[in-house]
């Protein structure tokens, strides 16, 4: 179990081409307490993520992103995310395809993500193994009339492409809500649970998260 704080800054370039928007969200995450293995976060560790999102007609989305994980503080030397007896300094990149649509007050979003993770400064001869995943996610949001805190729910399953079996080995669900301050950004709070699949003694991770987002918009 653990607690993590997320900060999100987004640069939005609207109508760079007819019907096409470009958004560049920048995430910063900080592990406050506990070990949060599902997001490769441990206490006093940090992560930075940058994505380029191309959105067509506000429904179809293509993304590519890059993440870097680093530890801050001597107490994290006892934490080893990959069980290789080393202090990990990882980077990760991903590519997404997403689709969203609405039915009355319900908003649906579907996403397929390819994810690759590697450790910086470690060669394959030294034991570094690239990890590859396919992640399938579905989410929904319900707009409650005359209510500011709309509920959000999502579920995601992970397929490990590194293993020969290519099996599904993780499942994650998230429930939360958010408040939009209009010109001053949006504040989200969520509870997330992740559980291992296909093993005799599955590990369960519970997370309470807080995320603040702010968007700069540049209309062409």
């Amino acid at each position: 179990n653990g607690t993590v704080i997320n900060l999100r800054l987004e640069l939005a370039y609207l109508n760079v081409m007819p019907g096409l928007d470009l958004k560049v969200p920048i995430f910063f995450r900080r592990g406050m307490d506990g070990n949060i293995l599902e997001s490769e976060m441990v206490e006093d560790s940090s992560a930075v993520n940058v994505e380029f999102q191309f959105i067509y007609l506000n429904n179809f989305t293509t993304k590519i992103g890059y993440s870097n994980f680093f530890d801050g503080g001597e107490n994290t030397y006892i934490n080893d995310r990959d069980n290789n007896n080393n202090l990990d300094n990882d980077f990760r990149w991903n590519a997404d395809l997403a689709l969203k649509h609405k039915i009355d007050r319900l908003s649906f979003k579907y996403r397929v993500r390819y994810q690759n993770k590697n450790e910086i400064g470690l060669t394959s001869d030294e034991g570094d193994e690239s990890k590859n995943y396919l992640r399938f996610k579905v989410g929904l949001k319900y707009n409650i009339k005359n209510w500011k805190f709309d509920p959000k729910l999502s579920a995601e399953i992970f397929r490990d492409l590194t293993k020969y079996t290519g099996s599904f080995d993780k499942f994650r669900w998230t429930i939360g809500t958010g408040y939009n301050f209009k010109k001053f950004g949006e504040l989200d709070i969520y509870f997330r649970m992740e559980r291992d699949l296909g093993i005799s003694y599955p590990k369960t991770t519970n997370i309470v998260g807080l995320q603040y987002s702010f968007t700069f918009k540049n209309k062409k």
Side-chain angles (χ1 to χ4, degrees):
N1 300 337
T3 304
V4 63
I5 290 181
N6 298 286
L7 295 177
R8 182 177 185 269
L9 174 68
E10 183 175 272
L11 306 176
Y13 301 91
L14 307 182
N15 293 318
V16 292
M17 294 178 62
L20 183 67
D21 298 336
L22 170 63
K23 294 184 178 182
V24 185
I26 303 169
F27 298 86
F28 175 79
R29 288 185 291 172
R30 180 72 176 177
M32 303 304 294
D33 60 68
N35 293 345
I36 310 171
L37 298 182
E38 63 85 29
S39 57
E40 291 85 33
M41 299 294 291
V42 295
E43 186 173 345
D44 291 330
S45 68
S46 302
V48 175
N49 172 262
V50 180
E51 285 187 349
F52 293 88
Q53 304 179 357
F54 298 91
I55 305 167
Y56 184 64
L57 298 179
N58 204 33
N59 285 317
F60 300 95
T61 303
T62 301
K63 307 178 187 179
I64 186 166
Y66 169 84
S67 299
N68 189 26
F69 301 85
F70 48 96
D71 298 291
E74 294 182 358
N75 62 322
T76 60
Y77 276 79
I78 63 172
N79 295 300
D80 175 23
R81 291 186 291 269
D82 293 334
N83 298 314
N84 56 11
N85 297 316
N86 290 309
L87 175 65
D88 296 333
N89 188 17
D90 299 327
F91 75 91
R92 183 177 72 188
W93 68 270
N94 57 268
D96 297 5
L97 288 175
L99 170 67
K100 63 180 181 180
H101 67 95
K102 293 182 66 175
I103 301 178
D104 197 16
R105 293 185 174 271
L106 272 175
S107 299
F108 297 87
K109 187 174 182 179
Y110 314 94
R111 188 194 73 190
V112 178
R113 167 173 289 182
Y114 170 77
Q115 176 182 299
N116 173 279
K117 191 184 78 169
N118 240 314
E119 188 169 346
I120 298 174
L122 195 67
T123 66
S124 57
D125 293 336
E126 294 171 323
D128 182 31
E129 293 183 3
S130 177
K131 295 185 177 181
N132 303 284
Y133 277 92
L134 271 181
R135 298 166 52 174
F136 304 90
K137 182 178 181 180
V138 59
L140 62 88
K141 177 181 178 181
Y142 186 74
N143 184 295
I144 302 175
K145 190 175 182 180
N146 299 322
W147 182 252
K148 298 294 185 180
F149 300 93
D150 294 336
K152 304 175 184 179
L153 178 67
S154 67
E156 186 172 12
I157 193 166
F158 294 65
R159 185 184 181 108
D160 190 346
L161 301 178
T162 308
K163 298 178 180 178
Y164 292 111
T165 57
S167 59
F168 292 101
D169 65 351
K170 295 180 186 178
F171 176 78
R172 173 193 297 173
W173 66 266
T174 306
I175 186 171
T177 187
Y179 184 82
N180 193 326
F181 295 96
K182 296 183 179 179
K183 294 183 179 180
F184 301 99
E186 182 175 351
L187 184 66
D188 292 284
I189 186 170
Y190 60 86
F191 172 78
R192 176 172 294 162
M193 187 206 71
E194 182 179 278
R195 185 176 176 85
D196 292 337
L197 301 175
I199 58 177
S200 300
Y201 301 98
K203 181 182 295 183
T204 300
T205 303
N206 299 310
I207 299 171
V208 175
L210 187 68
Q211 175 173 301
Y212 174 74
S213 304
F214 187 84
T215 300
F216 293 95
K217 293 184 178 181
N218 179 29
K219 296 183 178 180
K220 187 175 178 181

